[in-house]
Amino acid sequence: MTTKTYTVTGMTCSHCVGAVSAEVGRLPGVTDVQVDLATGAVTVTSEQPADDEAVTAAVDEAGYEVVK
């Protein structure tokens, strides 16, 4: 298992947290997604190292942006 944390902008409520968690959680190999609304931290736990491009695309699909 590996864990990586991303910073996501634009989230303002629990609906935002749910949308990001759902999209990222659908990625192959992802076993857990934790979102800290106050800081914008999205921590992804996966079987293999997370694919940064796939996580960024999932966050974008949810309507938010990963800070690089």
Side-chain angles (χ1 to χ4, degrees):
M1 292 288 185
T2 64
T3 302
K4 184 164 184 182
T5 301
Y6 301 85
T7 300
V8 176
T9 60
M11 297 185 298
T12 59
C13 64
S14 61
H15 176 267
C16 303
V17 170
V20 170
S21 296
E23 287 296 332
V24 175
R26 288 187 185 109
L27 295 174
V30 171
T31 58
D32 188 45
V33 180
Q34 296 293 319
V35 179
D36 183 333
L37 182 60
T39 64
V42 176
T43 303
V44 179
T45 303
S46 54
E47 295 168 353
Q48 302 295 324
D51 179 342
D52 292 340
E53 288 184 19
V55 171
T56 299
V59 170
D60 184 62
E61 181 69 25
Y64 307 96
E65 183 178 347
V66 172
V67 177
K68 297 186 183 200

